[in-house]
Amino acid sequence: MLDTGIRQFRMAMGIVWGRRLDPANVERLVGDALATLAQFGEPGADVGMLVEGPLTDPAARRQSAASNLRRTARRLSVVSPFYAGQFAAAGVEVGRLDPDRLGAIPVTVKRDLVERAREFRATDVPAFLATRTTGTTGRPAEIWMSRYETRLWPAIGALAAVLRDDIRPDDLLQVNISSRATAAVTLDVATCGLIGAGCRLLGVIPPDEALDGLGEGGVTLLSATPSYLGELVAAARRRGLGPADFRLRRIDVGGEVLSPSVAAAARATFGVPVVNDHFGMTEILPVTGRSCEQGHLHHDINTGHVEYLDPDTGVPAAPGALATVVVTPYFPYRDCMPVFRYDTRDLVQCLPDEALTCSVSGLPATGKVLGKADQAVRLGRATVVTPRQLVEAVEALPTCPWPARFRAVADDGRLRLALPTAAVAEFGVAATVAHLADRGLDVDLVLVPDDLGTRLRPLRCDLREATFAARPVPSGV
């Protein structure tokens, strides 16, 4: 117990002082938490504070944010050619930064990362492992990680997973995300390894093959994207599979909009009580977000600073308004290719200015991610149709067109919506238009051939990885 206390103290002091944490120390804390859990049935609140943080008090949060922002900016002004130029051009005194002074610094956008990638690399850290964004929203950005980050991020993630009972030593995690998502795959493997759980990496293979793995391998956890989960549910229903055919206890998704229709169908088909809808992206690792039981999105404010800005003006969004999520990962959690005020372009709706009553009420929250700001459709100065509105409405059609394929554009102030013919089959155009109108979408509907459906809207399930098992054998051979 004394050793555990020393390790907790070392990590806590590293966080307070803003020095690089010792990944080996955090890894040993994972083992301590597992041992305590096995003996006492709970890991203890003391180690939990290291992950969840004591930042439920607004004054403490503000003081912590100011200290972390200054530390992070001071380092970037020395080791990051990109941000050294940004801070100098803005006339920013990095030693005096606080949340109210951030507006002088321009937000960083994906185009900056793509076109000026080399300038983001820290000059004091050797690059070790590269990962890329998926490219579903444009040209992929390449992000480099250091050896330190590839050990620290899984260690912190594993500690949080043990404390929240997300992963247990007897679990088997099946990962059905693109194997080209190097950072996410690396984190999954290393996290399972620290906890002692099994990890099966299958990638985005044909859904029937993934279902075979879920049904035959004793898989208890599934990680996928919402669009691929929709394909899995459709394939399972086609094969007549149900809860008795699986051992899953939880499904985790992220990276796209998860509709209530697909979530409910997944719970019923696979027999899981919940489908966790997480927020995360390669550019802002290790800052993530998780949903609570009331559907709020709570971002991790211990490893980074999160702002909610008006997508048009860039000023802090008002309660109840739409906002884009802007994230600054803190040092020492991010060190090889850091970003500062990175505009994710993920739209959320700010909550009303009133006290929260959920289980994570001590932390700031917004509504669920509504999709990318650049994919929202503006029908007028005050009318915005978000990707979530469209996904939820289309995936609620009786035809169960999972995942939703559509293209929506503004046409002379009206919403023009293209759908594959199969999405309205045996339901009818008029009924579909009425269905959408009931959900607040007055549309001019256009149908396209089903074989053109995948061209309407790129999805992460389209990052298909071919396998020999999926190739048909030519007849007569």
Side-chain angles (χ1 to χ4, degrees), residues 403-415:
R405 302 283 187 179
F406 60 82
R407 176 172 293 164
V409 297
D411 185 3
D412 196 22
R414 288 187 56 78
L415 183 65

Side-chain angles (χ1 to χ4, degrees), residues 8-291:
Q8 292 176 9
F9 178 78
R10 286 179 62 193
M11 182 175 176
M13 288 302 96
I15 293 172
V16 171
W17 293 330
R19 299 174 181 174
R20 282 187 176 85
L21 304 177
D22 180 3
N25 184 63
V26 185
E27 291 168 354
R28 287 189 286 270
L29 280 173
V30 176
D32 294 340
L34 287 169
T36 304
L37 188 63
Q39 183 173 1
F40 299 106
E42 59 182 27
D46 47 358
V47 68
M49 289 288 286
L50 295 175
V51 175
E52 303 294 350
L55 303 180
T56 56
D57 177 67
R61 282 203 304 265
R62 183 176 180 78
Q63 182 178 359
S64 175
S67 175
N68 281 303
L69 286 168
R70 290 168 189 166
R71 177 191 310 122
T72 301
R74 276 196 297 266
R75 176 173 180 264
L76 292 179
S77 68
V78 176
V79 305
S80 172
F82 181 84
Y83 288 110
Q86 292 283 90
F87 297 158
V92 172
E93 295 183 57
V94 295
R96 299 183 61 186
L97 272 181
D98 62 38
D100 291 335
R101 290 186 171 96
L102 291 177
I105 304 170
V107 296
T108 300
V109 295
K110 184 177 179 180
R111 182 175 178 180
D112 296 325
L113 278 176
V114 171
E115 296 182 353
R116 303 175 64 180
R118 188 72 186 182
E119 297 177 49
F120 283 86
R121 296 259 293 273
T123 57
D124 65 338
V125 177
F128 170 61
L129 183 65
T131 184
R132 289 194 171 199
T133 58
T134 61
T136 51
T137 58
R139 183 179 166 191
E142 185 173 69
I143 308 296
W144 281 89
M145 298 178 286
S146 65
R147 289 182 183 275
Y148 165 79
E149 288 167 325
T150 59
R151 285 192 66 185
L152 179 67
W153 297 349
I156 293 176
L159 189 57
V162 171
L163 297 175
R164 298 169 184 162
D165 194 31
D166 287 342
I167 306 180
R168 305 166 185 168
D170 60 352
D171 274 322
L172 174 56
L173 169 66
Q174 180 165 306
V175 181
N176 287 119
I177 62 175
S178 173
S179 60
R180 287 166 286 183
T182 311
V185 170
T186 300
L187 292 178
D188 282 336
V189 173
T191 298
C192 287
L194 288 171
I195 295 173
C199 187
R200 173 186 287 153
L201 300 175
L202 293 185
V204 188
I205 60 175
D208 282 305
E209 292 182 48
L211 285 176
D212 291 340
L214 289 174
E216 298 172 3
V219 176
T220 55
L221 307 174
L222 171 65
S223 176
T225 60
S227 58
Y228 191 74
L229 180 62
E231 290 190 331
L232 288 178
V233 172
R237 287 183 164 190
R238 185 182 66 250
R239 292 169 56 172
L241 301 176
D245 299 297
F246 305 101
R247 291 182 53 197
L248 286 172
R249 70 179 183 89
R250 199 182 71 250
I251 297 174
D252 294 329
V253 299
E256 295 172 321
V257 170
L258 173 68
S259 73
S261 301
V262 167
R267 291 195 299 269
T269 300
F270 296 110
V272 295
V274 65
V275 178
N276 288 322
D277 189 7
H278 297 302
F279 172 85
M281 62 191 309
T282 303
E283 298 96 314
I284 60 170
L285 285 171
V287 182
T288 58
R290 54 186 170 126
S291 297

Side-chain angles (χ1 to χ4, degrees), residues 319-370:
L322 290 180
T324 178
V325 180
V326 176
V327 179
T328 300
Y330 294 142
F331 180 80
Y333 303 103
R334 181 75 174 261
D335 78 338
C336 184
M337 197 170 170
V339 291
F340 197 94
R341 299 199 83 207
Y342 186 81
D343 188 353
T344 67
R345 303 304 290 166
D346 281 304
L347 281 179
V348 294
Q349 186 165 26
C350 296
L351 299 179
D353 190 13
E354 55 189 42
L356 301 179
T357 59
C358 61
S359 59
V360 204
S361 59
L363 296 178
T366 65
K368 296 178 180 179
V369 171
L370 302 175

